[in-house]
Amino acid sequence: MVTSKLAEPTLLSDQVYFTLREAVVNGELPAGYRLRVRDIAEQVGTSVLPVREAIRRLEEAGLAERVPHKGAVVKGLTLAELIHVYDVRRLLEIEAAQLGAQRITPDDCEKMQAEYDLMRAAIDEGRVVAYLDHDEAMLTILYAAAANPVLLQTIRTLWIHCRAYKIVGANGTLDTAVDDSLWRYQRDLVAAASKNDVAAAAAVNDASLVDATDRIKALLAAQTTAL
Protein backbone atom coordinates (compact mmCIF):
# COMPACT_ATOMS: atom_id res chain seq x y z
CA MET A 1 0.00 0.00 0.00
CA VAL A 2 1.36 3.41 -0.99
CA THR A 3 1.72 5.82 1.88
CA SER A 4 -0.67 8.79 1.70
CA LYS A 5 1.90 11.24 3.03
CA LEU A 6 3.52 13.13 0.18
CA ALA A 7 7.12 14.28 0.17
CA GLU A 8 8.35 17.89 0.09
CA PRO A 9 9.09 18.77 -3.56
CA THR A 10 7.00 21.61 -4.98
CA LEU A 11 5.53 20.15 -8.17
CA LEU A 12 2.73 17.66 -7.61
CA SER A 13 4.22 15.20 -10.10
CA ASP A 14 7.52 15.39 -8.16
CA GLN A 15 5.69 14.72 -4.91
CA VAL A 16 4.01 11.62 -6.30
CA TYR A 17 7.23 10.40 -7.93
CA PHE A 18 9.33 10.70 -4.78
CA THR A 19 6.60 9.07 -2.70
CA LEU A 20 6.41 6.10 -5.08
CA ARG A 21 10.18 5.89 -5.43
CA GLU A 22 10.64 5.76 -1.66
CA ALA A 23 8.02 3.01 -1.40
CA VAL A 24 9.81 0.98 -4.08
CA VAL A 25 13.38 1.36 -2.80
CA ASN A 26 12.35 0.63 0.79
CA GLY A 27 10.58 -2.56 -0.23
CA GLU A 28 7.10 -1.29 0.62
CA LEU A 29 6.11 -1.97 -2.99
CA PRO A 30 7.68 -5.35 -3.89
CA ALA A 31 8.81 -6.60 -7.30
CA GLY A 32 5.82 -7.33 -9.52
CA TYR A 33 3.49 -4.93 -7.70
CA ARG A 34 1.00 -3.47 -10.21
CA LEU A 35 1.10 0.31 -10.33
CA ARG A 36 -2.58 0.99 -10.99
CA VAL A 37 -2.93 4.67 -11.82
CA ARG A 38 -6.39 5.26 -10.39
CA ASP A 39 -5.71 3.31 -7.20
CA ILE A 40 -2.52 5.26 -6.53
CA ALA A 41 -4.20 8.58 -7.34
CA GLU A 42 -6.90 7.79 -4.78
CA GLN A 43 -4.33 6.78 -2.15
CA VAL A 44 -2.19 9.90 -2.50
CA GLY A 45 -5.08 12.26 -3.13
CA THR A 46 -4.28 13.55 -6.62
CA SER A 47 -5.66 13.35 -10.14
CA VAL A 48 -4.39 10.63 -12.46
CA LEU A 49 -2.10 12.92 -14.51
CA PRO A 50 0.67 13.36 -11.87
CA VAL A 51 0.54 9.63 -11.17
CA ARG A 52 1.00 8.76 -14.84
CA GLU A 53 3.98 11.12 -15.01
CA ALA A 54 5.45 9.63 -11.82
CA ILE A 55 5.14 6.08 -13.15
CA ARG A 56 6.80 7.14 -16.42
CA ARG A 57 9.72 8.51 -14.39
CA LEU A 58 9.94 5.27 -12.38
CA GLU A 59 10.28 3.40 -15.68
CA GLU A 60 13.03 5.78 -16.83
CA ALA A 61 14.83 5.22 -13.51
CA GLY A 62 14.72 1.45 -14.00
CA LEU A 63 12.41 0.91 -11.04
CA ALA A 64 9.29 -0.05 -13.02
CA GLU A 65 8.57 -1.76 -16.32
CA ARG A 66 5.67 -2.46 -18.67
CA VAL A 67 4.29 -5.98 -18.66
CA PRO A 68 1.75 -7.22 -21.24
CA HIS A 69 -1.82 -7.39 -19.89
CA LYS A 70 -0.70 -5.84 -16.58
CA GLY A 71 0.60 -2.39 -17.40
CA ALA A 72 3.31 -0.86 -15.23
CA VAL A 73 4.71 -2.99 -12.41
CA VAL A 74 7.59 -2.64 -9.98
CA LYS A 75 10.58 -4.11 -11.77
CA GLY A 76 11.61 -7.62 -10.81
CA LEU A 77 15.09 -8.80 -9.88
CA THR A 78 17.25 -10.60 -12.42
CA LEU A 79 20.67 -12.18 -12.21
CA ALA A 80 21.86 -10.38 -15.34
CA GLU A 81 20.93 -6.95 -14.00
CA LEU A 82 22.50 -7.73 -10.63
CA ILE A 83 25.84 -8.51 -12.28
CA HIS A 84 25.71 -5.48 -14.57
CA VAL A 85 24.81 -3.01 -11.83
CA TYR A 86 27.35 -4.32 -9.34
CA ASP A 87 30.11 -4.40 -11.98
CA VAL A 88 29.50 -0.69 -12.60
CA ARG A 89 29.37 -0.02 -8.86
CA ARG A 90 32.78 -1.64 -8.45
CA LEU A 91 34.31 0.58 -11.12
CA LEU A 92 32.91 3.78 -9.65
CA GLU A 93 33.05 3.05 -5.92
CA ILE A 94 36.62 1.80 -5.91
CA GLU A 95 37.62 5.08 -7.56
CA ALA A 96 35.50 7.09 -5.12
CA ALA A 97 37.00 5.25 -2.14
CA GLN A 98 40.54 5.93 -3.35
CA LEU A 99 39.93 9.63 -3.91
CA GLY A 100 37.94 10.01 -0.71
CA ALA A 101 40.46 8.22 1.48
CA GLN A 102 43.19 10.46 0.16
CA ARG A 103 41.36 13.68 1.07
CA ILE A 104 39.03 12.87 3.97
CA THR A 105 39.41 14.85 7.21
CA PRO A 106 39.50 13.51 10.78
CA ASP A 107 36.15 15.22 11.42
CA ASP A 108 34.55 13.36 8.53
CA CYS A 109 36.09 10.10 9.75
CA GLU A 110 34.33 10.66 13.08
CA LYS A 111 31.07 11.14 11.17
CA MET A 112 31.72 7.88 9.33
CA GLN A 113 32.24 6.13 12.65
CA ALA A 114 28.97 7.55 13.99
CA GLU A 115 27.07 6.22 10.97
CA TYR A 116 28.82 2.88 11.35
CA ASP A 117 27.69 2.67 14.99
CA LEU A 118 24.10 3.45 13.99
CA MET A 119 24.37 0.83 11.24
CA ARG A 120 25.50 -1.82 13.73
CA ALA A 121 22.58 -0.95 16.01
CA ALA A 122 20.18 -1.37 13.08
CA ILE A 123 21.67 -4.80 12.32
CA ASP A 124 21.25 -5.88 15.94
CA GLU A 125 17.62 -4.78 15.84
CA GLY A 126 16.91 -6.34 12.45
CA ARG A 127 15.99 -3.02 10.81
CA VAL A 128 17.07 -3.65 7.24
CA VAL A 129 16.06 -0.31 5.68
CA ALA A 130 17.73 1.64 8.50
CA TYR A 131 20.84 -0.51 8.08
CA LEU A 132 21.03 0.34 4.39
CA ASP A 133 20.37 4.03 5.03
CA HIS A 134 23.23 4.30 7.53
CA ASP A 135 25.53 2.23 5.33
CA GLU A 136 24.91 4.58 2.40
CA ALA A 137 25.26 7.65 4.65
CA MET A 138 28.65 6.39 5.82
CA LEU A 139 29.81 5.77 2.25
CA THR A 140 28.48 9.16 1.15
CA ILE A 141 30.76 10.90 3.66
CA LEU A 142 33.79 9.12 2.23
CA TYR A 143 32.81 9.57 -1.41
CA ALA A 144 31.94 13.26 -0.91
CA ALA A 145 35.52 13.80 0.25
CA ALA A 146 36.59 12.91 -3.30
CA ALA A 147 35.20 16.33 -4.30
CA ASN A 148 33.63 15.00 -7.50
CA PRO A 149 29.88 15.67 -7.28
CA VAL A 150 29.14 13.95 -10.60
CA LEU A 151 30.80 10.76 -9.39
CA LEU A 152 28.87 10.88 -6.11
CA GLN A 153 25.52 11.54 -7.79
CA THR A 154 26.06 8.71 -10.27
CA ILE A 155 26.82 6.30 -7.43
CA ARG A 156 23.76 7.40 -5.46
CA THR A 157 21.59 6.88 -8.54
CA LEU A 158 22.95 3.34 -8.80
CA TRP A 159 22.12 2.77 -5.13
CA ILE A 160 18.50 3.67 -5.84
CA HIS A 161 18.50 1.37 -8.85
CA CYS A 162 19.80 -1.61 -6.86
CA ARG A 163 18.10 -0.99 -3.49
CA ALA A 164 15.80 -3.99 -4.01
CA TYR A 165 18.86 -6.21 -4.49
CA LYS A 166 20.42 -4.75 -1.34
CA ILE A 167 17.26 -5.56 0.64
CA VAL A 168 17.38 -9.17 -0.56
CA GLY A 169 21.03 -9.46 0.43
CA ALA A 170 20.60 -7.86 3.84
CA ASN A 171 17.50 -9.86 4.74
CA GLY A 172 19.14 -13.11 3.71
CA THR A 173 22.34 -12.36 5.62
CA LEU A 174 20.55 -11.26 8.78
CA ASP A 175 19.14 -14.78 9.00
CA THR A 176 22.71 -16.11 9.40
CA ALA A 177 23.80 -15.16 12.90
CA VAL A 178 27.49 -15.98 12.38
CA ASP A 179 27.83 -13.96 9.17
CA ASP A 180 29.68 -10.67 9.71
CA SER A 181 29.61 -9.56 6.07
CA LEU A 182 27.03 -6.85 6.75
CA TRP A 183 29.46 -4.88 8.91
CA ARG A 184 33.02 -6.24 8.57
CA TYR A 185 33.85 -4.36 5.38
CA GLN A 186 32.41 -1.08 6.68
CA ARG A 187 34.51 -1.40 9.84
CA ASP A 188 37.62 -1.92 7.75
CA LEU A 189 36.69 0.97 5.46
CA VAL A 190 36.39 3.37 8.39
CA ALA A 191 39.81 2.21 9.58
CA ALA A 192 41.34 2.72 6.12
CA ALA A 193 39.82 6.18 5.79
CA SER A 194 41.08 7.18 9.24
CA LYS A 195 44.63 6.34 8.11
CA ASN A 196 44.16 7.92 4.65
CA ASP A 197 45.12 4.50 3.33
CA VAL A 198 44.12 4.72 -0.33
CA ALA A 199 45.08 1.16 -1.27
CA ALA A 200 43.27 -0.38 1.70
CA ALA A 201 40.10 1.62 1.03
CA ALA A 202 40.05 0.46 -2.59
CA ALA A 203 40.69 -3.16 -1.61
CA VAL A 204 37.93 -3.13 1.01
CA ASN A 205 35.39 -1.71 -1.41
CA ASP A 206 36.33 -4.22 -4.07
CA ALA A 207 36.02 -7.16 -1.67
CA SER A 208 32.77 -5.84 -0.24
CA LEU A 209 31.05 -5.49 -3.60
CA VAL A 210 32.28 -8.87 -4.85
CA ASP A 211 30.99 -10.49 -1.65
CA ALA A 212 27.63 -8.70 -1.94
CA THR A 213 27.25 -9.82 -5.55
CA ASP A 214 27.95 -13.44 -4.65
CA ARG A 215 25.60 -13.41 -1.66
CA ILE A 216 22.70 -11.83 -3.55
CA LYS A 217 23.30 -14.11 -6.54
CA ALA A 218 22.99 -17.15 -4.26
CA LEU A 219 19.84 -15.80 -2.61
CA LEU A 220 18.19 -15.06 -5.96
CA ALA A 221 19.06 -18.54 -7.17
CA ALA A 222 17.56 -20.05 -4.02
CA GLN A 223 14.37 -18.03 -4.48
CA THR A 224 14.10 -19.15 -8.11
CA THR A 225 14.57 -22.80 -7.12
CA ALA A 226 11.88 -22.50 -4.46
CA LEU A 227 9.28 -21.20 -6.95
Side-chain angles (χ1 to χ4, degrees), residues 110-161:
E110 290 182 8
K111 293 176 182 177
M112 285 184 69
Q113 182 65 50
E115 290 294 344
Y116 172 80
D117 292 340
L118 291 170
M119 187 198 74
R120 288 296 304 269
I123 293 172
D124 292 341
E125 295 164 8
R127 295 182 291 119
V128 169
V129 172
Y131 156 74
L132 293 173
D133 288 344
H134 290 301
D135 177 37
E136 290 176 0
M138 187 198 78
L139 291 173
T140 296
I141 295 167
L142 175 62
Y143 298 167
N148 185 331
V150 175
L151 177 61
L152 177 59
Q153 184 57 44
T154 303
I155 290 170
R156 295 179 77 170
T157 299
L158 283 170
W159 287 346
I160 293 170
H161 191 80

Side-chain angles (χ1 to χ4, degrees), residues 2-223:
V2 181
T3 179
S4 61
K5 184 179 179 181
L6 294 177
E8 290 299 323
T10 304
L11 294 176
L12 192 56
S13 60
D14 287 342
Q15 292 180 325
V16 177
Y17 169 68
F18 284 111
T19 297
L20 288 175
R21 191 184 75 174
E22 183 178 2
V24 171
V25 300
N26 288 339
E28 185 180 346
L29 299 182
Y33 183 91
R34 293 181 67 180
L35 299 167
R36 297 182 175 90
V37 174
R38 294 191 181 279
D39 290 349
I40 294 172
E42 182 178 347
Q43 291 168 28
V44 299
T46 71
S47 67
V48 298
L49 291 179
V51 176
R52 287 197 180 107
E53 172 63 15
I55 291 173
R56 182 190 66 79
R57 291 172 64 182
L58 286 177
E59 292 177 51
E60 289 180 350
L63 299 175
E65 61 185 346
R66 293 279 166 178
V67 174
H69 311 300
K70 286 187 177 182
V73 302
V74 175
K75 192 171 182 180
L77 308 182
T78 68
L79 183 58
E81 182 182 54
L82 167 71
I83 293 170
H84 292 157
V85 171
Y86 274 76
D87 279 351
V88 176
R89 285 190 61 194
R90 284 179 67 194
L91 290 172
L92 297 181
E93 293 189 48
I94 289 172
E95 177 70 10
Q98 290 175 320
L99 294 173
Q102 184 177 7
R103 301 174 181 177
I104 196 166
T105 65
D107 182 57
D108 279 341
C109 288
E110 290 182 8
K111 293 176 182 177
M112 285 184 69
Q113 182 65 50
E115 290 294 344
Y116 172 80
D117 292 340
L118 291 170
M119 187 198 74
R120 288 296 304 269
I123 293 172
D124 292 341
E125 295 164 8
R127 295 182 291 119
V128 169
V129 172
Y131 156 74
L132 293 173
D133 288 344
H134 290 301
D135 177 37
E136 290 176 0
M138 187 198 78
L139 291 173
T140 296
I141 295 167
L142 175 62
Y143 298 167
N148 185 331
V150 175
L151 177 61
L152 177 59
Q153 184 57 44
T154 303
I155 290 170
R156 295 179 77 170
T157 299
L158 283 170
W159 287 346
I160 293 170
H161 191 80
C162 70
R163 175 58 80 101
Y165 292 97
K166 289 182 164 190
I167 290 174
V168 168
N171 274 325
T173 307
L174 278 174
D175 293 336
T176 308
V178 296
D179 195 332
D180 61 1
S181 57
L182 289 182
W183 55 264
R184 180 177 76 251
Y185 298 108
Q186 292 90 331
R187 177 202 61 196
D188 294 345
L189 190 60
V190 173
S194 298
K195 298 174 183 176
N196 296 110
D197 191 333
V198 173
V204 170
N205 257 19
D206 189 24
S208 173
L209 288 165
V210 169
D211 179 75
T213 303
D214 290 342
R215 283 187 292 110
I216 299 169
K217 188 188 301 183
L219 289 164
L220 289 179
Q223 289 179 2

